[in-house]
Amino acid sequence: MSTRRKLIAGNWKMNMLRADGIVLAEAVAARRRVENWLPCDVLICPPSTLIAPVVAAVAGNDVAVGGQDCHAKVSGAHTGDTAAAMLKDAGCSYVIVGHSERRTDHAETDAMVKAKAAAAHAAGLVAIICIGETLAERDAGKTIDVNRTQLQGSLPEGTNANNTVIAYEPVWAIGTGRVATPEQAQEVHAVIRAELEARLGADEANKMRILYGGSMKPDNAKILLALPDVDGGLIGGASLKADDFWAIARACEDE
Ligand code: PGA
């Protein structure tokens, strides 16, 4: 059994207005409060408008808050963007970078993701760096190559197990209800771990958390979270319901 503490991260994406977001965050915090012991860290990544109220709603309950993106620059003329230090200042401890929806909607390249992760590190945030292949890439037999290339291109200097989490999110599994099989997930996670070892050494690679994301739900979480190289989940749709999100966190338990 690995010594890595699992991370269950909710990615709310562009969902929730203030009232519902606070209710959801309070519901997660309330569940956290009544658990005596839960073998995972819990993180909520709300839209940026709700970071402050979610930070307030979970305060004192061992639930972390993160951003969904940050700019690579420290400050300046970048209308509509958010600096990593601003997220930190608002109470975040994590930030997702390179989500496939950002790579697609905003044409983010590996180099941009790398710069954002470096900015997150500089601001004292843990960067959750997302990688994953499309269905066309999988069908063409390129899964391993694509994930290796994205990982190599997205990790900044100074990456270590304390400041970085990797999220493997096959694009074809995100929001589709089509989850990777345990074999598919473990295969890519093991490749990622091997790449991390080549880059950072065995010690850091063994400590670094690699999350699976893509249609993780209460009914498939247990088998995915029990895989040797799966150290948690990045959860979209199921993180919008407190009961489902919490059922996934509980699925870490009897591994
Ligand atoms: P999903 O999203 O759980 O709705 O598939 C996961 C993600 O995009 O992080």
Side-chain angles (χ1 to χ4, degrees), residues 11 13 99 101 169 173-175 214-216 234-237:
N11 174 12
K13 308 191 179 184
H99 191 282
E101 287 151 16
E169 298 205 304
I174 296 175
S215 296
M216 189 182 268
L234 182 55
I235 296 129

